[in-house]
Amino acid sequence: MALAAVHALPGKEIQTLHTTGLGLSRGTLEVRRGLLRHTLYLEELTHQLAADWTTYRHHRWPASSNPHLLVSQKSAVDPDHPAVSIGTLSGALPRGLTLSGLRQDRILNEAAQIADPLRLMRLFGITEQTAMRCVIAAHPERTAKLPR
């Protein structure tokens, strides 16, 4: 939940995170986006959650060779098993919340605070069009007088 609510990662990217992308000593998490990489700098809460999860995972499935960061009971013991499903991830959320809703709320909240599309692009790894749409949605009074 913290990856969507704090770092605005979409569910599909959360599913595909790899253990090799997590650098607890550096406080980073590398997200693969095709050939591109986006580095998340983990704040204290997400860093602690990631550390707790890796400790739990190691104790629960010490022989797991599945490369994905998030695994289920089935996928932990089978390296060829696909990543955890969106249903499994969504099942961990409180009723009424969705991963995409958390992501959208986080980006819009940041857009309301900073109103800087370039910073949104760097922070969340989103496109310039998405960043501009978020700033416009967060600050409609600034764009109301622009010609259409």
Side-chain angles (χ1 to χ4, degrees):
M1 182 172 20
L3 293 170
V6 176
H7 296 283
L9 284 183
K12 289 290 184 189
E13 286 183 0
I14 294 171
Q15 280 183 287
T16 61
L17 294 172
H18 284 184
T19 55
T20 56
L22 180 62
L24 288 174
S25 62
R26 296 181 312 277
T28 61
L29 178 62
E30 182 181 83
V31 180
R32 298 175 184 186
R33 293 180 173 160
L35 298 176
L36 302 175
R37 304 287 184 261
H38 178 68
T39 301
L40 300 178
Y41 295 93
L42 305 177
E43 85 305 331
E44 188 176 340
L45 171 66
T46 310
H47 187 274
Q48 188 60 54
L49 290 170
D52 291 348
W53 170 252
T54 55
T55 300
Y56 172 79
R57 178 188 160 141
H58 179 70
H59 288 303
R60 175 85 190 258
W61 304 290
S64 176
S65 58
N66 190 312
H68 293 99
L69 180 62
L70 300 178
V71 293
S72 65
Q73 188 171 351
K74 286 183 181 179
S75 65
V77 295
D78 184 3
D80 297 325
H81 197 279
V84 293
S85 70
I86 289 290
T88 301
L89 293 175
S90 297
L93 298 175
R95 185 175 211 130
L97 294 180
T98 64
L99 291 171
S100 62
L102 288 172
R103 179 178 195 274
Q104 291 168 6
D105 287 349
R106 175 65 179 106
I107 294 172
L108 284 173
N109 179 270
E110 193 69 27
Q113 298 294 318
I114 61 171
D116 181 358
L118 186 56
R119 181 157 175 209
L120 291 175
M121 292 167 58
R122 288 181 181 153
L123 188 59
F124 301 119
I126 58 178
T127 65
E128 62 187 65
Q129 293 84 3
T130 301
M132 285 302 298
R133 280 196 306 270
C134 291
V135 169
I136 290 168
H139 299 281
E141 72 283 355
R142 294 185 182 177
T143 58
K145 296 178 183 172
L146 293 177
R148 302 265 176 220

